Amino acid sequence: MIILDTNVVSEITKANLSPNVGEWFEQQDIESLYLCSPILMELSYGAEKVLLRDRSERFFEGLGYLMEHQFAGRILQFDQDSALLTGRIRARRERFGHQISVQDAMIAAVCLAHGATLATRNIKDFQGLDIRLVNPFEDGHA
């Protein structure tokens, strides 16, 4: 199970996506790829910004397609266990001087709660959290 971070979802919806991401995505079993509700929150935020700026609903339409078709049945929810893990992650990171955004802590918690790998460009934001990470943007996808 691989949860796609917002930056990966944004990339795979582009017409001119990164060759590395395109190759990585093609190699995956689509049924093993998931989204989670904090990712939907971030995508909705971006779509609303575009709507307010350009009066364009194109990103909301794309988000609807992702939820209803491409990832239907494969969206993990931020639940009670994830909420408790989020608090622990944030407190532990702060104690060691490593800040983490609430959104990233939520995503990390969902990954931990489900034993999922996180596909993200922002590897350093999630290091040290006992989450398997993959960067589809890099050669070799390390």
Side-chain angles (χ1 to χ4, degrees):
M1 175 185 302
I2 301 172
I3 295 176
L4 304 181
D5 198 3
T6 306
N7 50 55
V8 176
V9 176
S10 295
E11 188 67 25
I12 64 173
T13 61
K14 290 180 180 176
N16 294 328
L17 76 147
S18 157
N20 288 343
V21 175
E23 177 186 315
W24 179 84
F25 190 72
E26 289 293 320
Q27 294 173 355
Q28 304 309 306
D29 171 11
I30 192 72
E31 296 299 316
S32 72
L33 302 178
Y34 285 72
L35 300 180
C36 65
S37 52
I39 301 296
L40 298 180
M41 173 185 63
E42 290 183 337
L43 293 169
S44 176
Y45 171 71
E48 184 69 18
K49 286 176 64 172
V50 170
L51 177 65
L52 293 171
R53 183 187 67 222
D54 301 340
R55 299 182 191 267
S56 172
E57 294 193 16
R58 71 185 183 276
F59 286 104
F60 275 116
E61 291 165 1
L63 180 56
Y65 181 80
L66 287 173
M67 292 185 306
E68 296 167 20
H69 299 285
Q70 197 168 7
F71 290 93
R74 291 180 289 117
I75 299 173
L76 303 173
Q77 299 305 310
F78 182 79
D79 59 10
Q80 179 177 314
D81 290 339
S82 298
L84 295 172
L85 279 169
T86 297
R88 296 183 74 186
I89 289 167
R90 291 189 66 222
R92 289 177 182 202
R93 290 291 293 250
E94 286 175 9
R95 174 171 174 127
F96 296 105
H98 302 289
Q99 296 295 321
I100 187 169
S101 71
V102 172
Q103 296 93 319
D104 284 349
M106 291 170 74
I107 293 164
V110 173
C111 288
L112 287 168
H114 293 276
T117 297
L118 179 63
T120 182
R121 173 182 268 172
N122 303 330
I123 296 289
K124 67 179 176 69
D125 294 343
F126 297 95
Q127 285 179 324
L129 295 176
D130 294 327
I131 299 170
R132 289 180 307 276
L133 300 166
V134 62
N135 184 350
F137 291 86
E138 291 184 354
D139 286 331
H141 316 295

